[in-house]
Amino acid sequence: MSDSPVVGVVGADADAVVAAVESAGGRATAGTAKRVVDESEAVVAVGESALFAVARTGTDDPVLPVAAGAGVRSVPREAVAAGVADLVTGDYERASHPLVDVRVADRTRATALFDLMLVSAEPAQISEYAVERGDDRVARFRADGVVVATPAGSSGYASDAGGPVLAPETDAVAVVPVAPFETDIDHWVLPPEGLSVSVERDETAVHLLADDRVVGPVEPHEPVRVTPAGSIAVAVVAAGRSPFPPA
C-alpha cells in the first residue's frame, strides 16, 4: 500500500473507525461495500453483515474484520484503534479465506463466506435431506435443516448445531444436520468440489440461506450444488482473536 493509504470503512460505528484510520496516517472513506472497495487500497468491515457485503464484491484488497466472528480472526471493538493502526502501517499478515458458490438447479446463485443452509420455513418442521459428492451418496437424514460451513464459518452456527470447528487453512467444508431426528447422527468434513445437498421429502417449504441472506425456496429433489468461488484476503493483526472460540 502507499505511504498514506486510502482505507474504506463499511458497517456500523463508521465515524470511530474513520477517526482511527486518520489518526494512524491513512485516508478514510466510508460507505457501501461496492463504493469503498472501488476507491480503497484496504477495507475495514465492522460486523458480520459488512464483512459478507465486502466479500461478495470479489475484492483482492486486504480486509480487516471487526466484531465479525472468531473464524476470521476479527478484532474486538475495543481494540479497533490498534488494529486499524497495524492495517494502515502494513503491520499485518494476509490470510486467505475461501468463498463458496451455491446454485439451485439452473435458476439461483449466491456466494457465501461463512455458510449456506437449507432450513424449514416453519420452526420444528422436519424434512428429509440428502448429501452427495459426485456419484457418492454421503448421507440421508431427517432434520430441521442442514448447514454447509467453510472454515471461517465453522465456529458459528455449524458449531452451535454440533459440528466441528475447522482450522482456517483446512481445504474442506463442514456439513452438519440441524436438529436431526436421530440423536447419534454423523457430521462430515468434505472437499467442496462436487458437493451437493437436496431436499428429498418436505413437510413444509424449505429455504436456502447464504450467510445473512435468504436466497429463495428449494423444491424437493432440486440439487443445491456447492463449488469453490475464490477467496477473500483478511488482514491478520496482533489484536485479532484466535480462530478458535474460547472453551
Side-chain angles (χ1 to χ4, degrees), residues 5-234:
V6 178
V7 177
V9 180
V10 182
D13 299 328
D15 290 345
V17 179
V18 166
V21 170
E22 294 176 347
S23 177
R27 293 173 290 154
T29 178
T32 64
K34 175 61 176 174
R35 185 176 72 79
V36 303
V37 162
D38 288 343
E39 298 175 353
S40 307
E41 299 169 67
V43 179
V44 179
V46 184
E48 286 188 355
S49 294
L51 180 61
F52 297 151
V54 172
R56 288 193 292 264
T57 68
T59 181
D60 294 326
D61 294 332
V63 180
L64 179 68
V66 175
V72 288
R73 298 182 176 92
S74 68
V75 173
R77 289 181 185 271
E78 61 270 20
V80 165
V84 167
D86 285 348
L87 178 69
V88 171
T89 60
D91 188 13
Y92 62 87
E93 296 180 358
R94 291 171 70 111
S96 180
H97 289 277
L99 307 171
V100 292
D101 262 356
V102 55
R103 290 181 179 269
V104 180
D106 293 323
R107 71 174 189 276
T108 304
R109 176 180 175 179
T111 300
L113 170 62
F114 277 11
D115 52 41
L116 61 95
M117 187 185 317
L118 294 180
V119 64
S120 300
E122 298 180 20
Q125 292 293 321
I126 290 177
S127 298
E128 188 168 308
Y129 297 91
V131 180
E132 298 180 345
R133 186 167 183 267
D135 295 330
D136 293 330
R137 170 65 62 90
V138 175
R140 185 167 179 162
F141 52 85
R142 296 177 66 200
D144 283 359
V146 57
V147 58
V148 178
T150 68
S154 65
S155 59
Y157 191 81
S159 178
D160 292 342
V165 176
L166 305 180
E169 65 272 14
T170 305
D171 188 18
V173 294
V175 182
V176 185
V178 177
F181 184 73
E182 302 174 49
T183 58
D184 59 349
I185 195 165
D186 289 332
H187 309 125
W188 303 271
V189 177
L190 301 167
E193 295 86 352
L195 181 65
S196 68
V197 293
S198 60
V199 184
E200 298 297 288
R201 185 176 60 195
D202 59 349
E203 301 296 335
T204 185
V206 173
H207 287 166
L208 170 66
L209 285 68
D211 287 335
D212 59 343
R213 299 187 300 167
V214 177
V215 178
V218 177
E219 300 297 329
H221 307 293
E222 284 188 328
V224 179
R225 303 188 187 281
V226 181
T227 56
S231 62
I232 182 173
V234 166

